[in-house]
Amino acid sequence: MTLIFFIQAVILGVIEGLTEFLPISSTGHLIIGAHLINANHPNIEVFEIFIQLGAILAIIYEYRIQLLKKTLHFSDQKSKTFFLNITVSFALIIGGILILLIEKRANIGSTKTVDSISYKQSLGIGLFQCLALIPGTSRSGATIMGGLLLKLDRKTATEFSFFLAIPIMFAASFYDLLKNLHLLSANDFWFFLIGFITAFASALIVVRLLIKFVAHNDFKIFAYYRIIVGIIFLILFY
């Protein structure tokens, strides 16, 4: 593995870990990040899916005790026509505006623990998660905001979003890995491993900080971030 691939693996792994569980779209940031650093590894698309396992492993590690007491649910292909920088930029901006609107109308929810979430609320949040099929929307953003609309408090909505990520991200990562296994070679091992490790480490830090943050703050800062970043990239790409 060349030095440039090593550096790119570290950068993209950190981007994945930092953004996967924030309502700012990890997919969007990976697409734009790979574009900006000219990450042209032949299996970059498989890599971007695979390193999600590192981020999700951070959730499993952080919530290992709770997960042992529960049983927790999928993946679809995303049309490649969506993987456009302009689409991602617009999705970031629109998502930020929606977060501001939801925060403006949402009251502190009456559902204050994951165990007290009803089947109806679970189904509703699962449907919100489907919006993440559009790159730039943010899976965590869709599920957290959906949770707020369905009367979960911020901490509970955030934790439930973490748990929802486990089955869908495992399924997506392994499906994509198996589907493209014939394209991979021994030379890809270190590139993938470095991205996996950096995604795990950075995601673990974000998960712990985010839970502390949402206990005392709303999500408006992420909305402003999405809008600003979306506008900046629209200007750059145009």
Side-chain angles (χ1 to χ4, degrees), residues 53-73:
L53 290 175
I56 205 61
L57 188 61
I59 289 293
I60 294 173
Y61 174 79
E62 183 68 8
Y63 288 93
R64 58 194 180 277
I65 297 176
Q66 292 184 38
L67 290 172
L68 285 173
K69 298 177 182 178
K70 309 181 194 305
T71 339
L72 287 169
H73 305 274

Side-chain angles (χ1 to χ4, degrees), residues 65-184:
I65 297 176
Q66 292 184 38
L67 290 172
L68 285 173
K69 298 177 182 178
K70 309 181 194 305
T71 339
L72 287 169
H73 305 274
F74 38 147
S75 165
D76 234 316
Q77 284 185 311
K78 300 170 183 176
S79 171
K80 288 188 177 181
T81 58
F82 275 120
F83 281 85
L84 300 170
N85 294 321
I86 300 300
T87 302
V88 169
S89 299
F90 274 117
L92 286 169
I93 295 169
I94 294 169
I97 294 171
L98 289 175
I99 290 175
L100 291 176
L101 292 174
I102 291 170
E103 280 286 9
K104 187 175 181 180
R105 72 178 296 274
N107 298 317
I108 297 299
S110 56
T111 305
K112 300 187 180 301
T113 66
V114 171
D115 289 332
S116 58
I117 296 174
S118 69
Y119 289 116
K120 185 177 179 180
Q121 288 172 316
S122 299
L123 176 61
I125 297 170
L127 293 175
F128 274 104
Q129 185 168 240
C130 295
L131 295 173
L133 291 171
I134 305 171
T137 300
S138 171
R139 187 208 58 80
S140 59
T143 51
I144 292 172
M145 291 301 110
L148 294 183
L149 287 174
L150 293 169
K151 305 304 179 184
L152 277 62
D153 69 7
R154 290 188 176 86
K155 182 174 182 293
T156 303
T158 303
E159 287 188 337
F160 192 61
S161 174
F162 293 163
F163 296 158
L164 274 183
I166 294 173
I168 192 169
M169 289 173 63
F170 260 114
S173 298
F174 278 113
Y175 170 74
D176 204 68
L177 191 62
L178 289 173
K179 185 180 68 173
N180 295 284
L181 201 57
H182 64 287
L183 300 175
L184 305 180

